[in-house]
Amino acid sequence: MNSASPVSDGEFVVLLDDSGEPVGTAPKSEVHHSATPLHLAFSCYVFDGEGGLLITRRALEKRTWPGVWTNSCCGHPAPGESMADAVHRRVGEELGVHLGELRLRLADFRYRAVDVTGVVENELCPVYTAVTRETPRPDPEEIADWKWVAWEDFAMLATRAPWAISPWAVEQIPLLSSRFGEPEREYPDPARESRT
């Protein structure tokens, strides 16, 4: 375990104590296993400004939850990197789009889940929403498929078919819905508004 890492080294994750305070770093490639330590991450739900939510299917080569449908993007901030910068960076790398109107929705979301292989996710994972006007150009090493869907359709999976989506999305969706209703309605399409 390293006590420090360059800001630019995105291959390290920030380790946390139980109160959420940073206690060091570790290589991303070594941190996920059957006893994964608590570490810092994020989730982002990207909307198109017309009522669509971008959902993604994790690549089949992913170490955890391969082939599972989930929210738009997840990632880990590098040591010394701001969370907002990490979200923008990772969305660009993974989805090939630029974000506007990034909003922090669930600052203290935390979860632990065990994959069928026994690998554990153990993250303090702030949840963001954002909007893009661009067509995704996903990295195939990260994303096997993607779709624009209605928020209510994806939210319904969390209660009616939770086995069909990632465990973090299953936990995040009800929290987002209870606090914000239908989050996509907060991102109106400027072109549509100018026509009315």
Side-chain angles (χ1 to χ4, degrees):
M1 183 186 315
N2 297 329
S3 60
S5 177
V7 173
S8 62
D9 191 345
E11 294 303 307
F12 279 73
V13 299
V14 178
L15 301 177
L16 306 172
D17 65 19
D18 199 52
S19 66
E21 292 299 314
V23 293
T25 66
K28 178 183 171 185
S29 61
E30 298 175 13
V31 79
H32 296 96
H33 44 70
S34 62
T36 302
L38 181 64
H39 60 280
L40 191 58
F42 68 82
S43 287
C44 186
Y45 290 74
V46 178
F47 296 93
D48 66 0
E50 298 177 8
L53 166 68
L54 178 62
I55 63 170
T56 58
R57 184 177 179 217
R58 292 167 63 83
L60 298 178
E61 296 76 24
K62 296 288 280 184
R63 185 169 180 183
T64 58
W65 287 275
V68 171
W69 285 94
T70 191
N71 57 295
S72 311
C73 184
C74 295
H76 304 87
E81 182 180 33
S82 76
M83 192 63 79
D85 286 348
V87 175
H88 284 283
R89 171 183 57 79
R90 194 64 192 144
V91 166
E93 293 169 353
E94 197 165 296
L95 298 173
V97 299
H98 296 92
L99 295 178
E101 303 174 65
L102 183 66
R103 298 178 186 175
L104 176 60
R105 300 300 190 159
L106 304 172
D108 57 357
F109 178 78
R110 180 175 170 177
Y111 79 101
R112 185 181 186 279
V114 184
D115 183 67
V116 68
T117 64
V119 175
V120 173
E121 282 287 7
N122 186 16
E123 298 179 335
L124 178 61
C125 183
V127 180
Y128 291 80
T129 60
V131 66
T132 188
R133 311 295 179 191
E134 301 173 2
T135 300
R137 300 175 312 281
D139 177 352
E141 292 186 7
E142 298 290 341
I143 296 173
D145 198 3
W146 60 274
K147 296 184 183 308
W148 293 106
V149 301
W151 169 260
E152 57 267 25
D153 291 341
F154 193 56
M156 187 170 54
L157 290 176
T159 55
R160 296 192 181 175
W163 43 264
I165 61 177
S166 69
W168 55 90
V170 169
E171 292 186 36
Q172 292 166 355
I173 289 167
L175 296 172
L176 290 168
S177 291
S178 68
R179 295 184 192 182
F180 305 104
E182 297 179 3
E184 81 281 6
R185 296 189 187 280
E186 297 185 32
Y187 295 107
D189 179 6
R192 182 191 300 164
E193 287 191 336
S194 68
R195 292 192 297 267
T196 58

